[in-house]
Amino acid sequence: MTAKQHRPLHIALATVSDRHTPATDETGDWLADAIAEAGHHRYQRQILATDKYVLRAVVSRWIAEPQLAVVLLNGGTGFAGHNCVPEAIEPLLEQKIDGFGELFRQLSFQQIGSSALQSRAVAGLANNTLVVAVPGSLSAAKLAWHELIRPQLDGLQGPCNFNARLARNA
């Protein structure tokens, strides 16, 4: 049995929004800083419009990049008519991580009550790349990062984590 170790991962970050710009993307800024603080590398960062086919194309391109381990999307997961992130990415996933959305809603319920029902946070694996979509609110992104995403990207997290599987070309 080999000792667990933390390997830095390459992470692509996208904010899905029709209203944010680089100057107003507070959640994206916070996530970019959190990625670096956790010892990972930001591979790319974009702001993407809420267009299902554009999102699917960008995520498809990212999951085809051999050095990229994680695609982290924020925004576009609620029930507003224009939100389409789950519909854009779910067809790309080879394995859906059902527990991610379930646990996120459970944790969110503790903070915002029944409004947690309106989160469609989702995660899965595609081409050995972890694809995660969380709400765009800063508080929701912080909750998802601290409680679910960061621990699973940490190679020292036990009893299991995604770091070793994703660190193929880090």
Side-chain angles (χ1 to χ4, degrees), residues 15-32:
T15 295
V16 180
S17 175
D18 292 327
R19 61 183 170 88
H20 282 297
T21 68
T24 64
D25 185 15
E26 181 181 21
T27 301
D29 290 342
W30 188 90
L31 286 168

Side-chain angles (χ1 to χ4, degrees), residues 24 27 47 49 74 82-83 86 111 117 123 129 131 158 169:
T24 64
T27 301
I47 296 177
N74 73 90
H82 63 282
N83 287 336
Q111 293 184 354
L117 288 172
T129 302
V131 180
N169 291 324

Side-chain angles (χ1 to χ4, degrees), residues 4 7 13 19 49 59 63 65 92 95 101 103-104 110 117-118 140 143 148 160 169:
K4 290 184 180 185
R7 295 175 190 91
L13 172 63
R19 61 183 170 88
V59 173
I63 62 177
E65 295 286 335
L92 303 174
Q95 294 177 297
L103 284 172
F104 177 78
Q110 295 170 11
L117 288 172
Q118 295 199 32
L143 177 68
L148 300 172
C160 58
N169 291 324

Side-chain angles (χ1 to χ4, degrees), residues 10-81:
H10 295 281
I11 301 174
L13 172 63
T15 295
V16 180
S17 175
D18 292 327
R19 61 183 170 88
H20 282 297
T21 68
T24 64
D25 185 15
E26 181 181 21
T27 301
D29 290 342
W30 188 90
L31 286 168
D33 290 343
I35 288 167
E37 184 268 320
H40 299 295
H41 307 290
R42 190 185 53 192
Y43 179 78
Q44 281 187 8
R45 180 176 174 192
Q46 293 187 12
I47 296 177
L48 302 170
T50 54
D51 179 306
K52 176 171 56 175
Y53 299 103
V54 170
L55 290 169
R56 193 175 293 158
V58 170
V59 173
S60 292
R61 187 173 67 248
W62 279 343
I63 62 177
E65 295 286 335
Q67 67 275 26
L68 188 63
V70 180
V71 173
L72 178 54
L73 306 167
N74 73 90
T77 61
F79 278 98

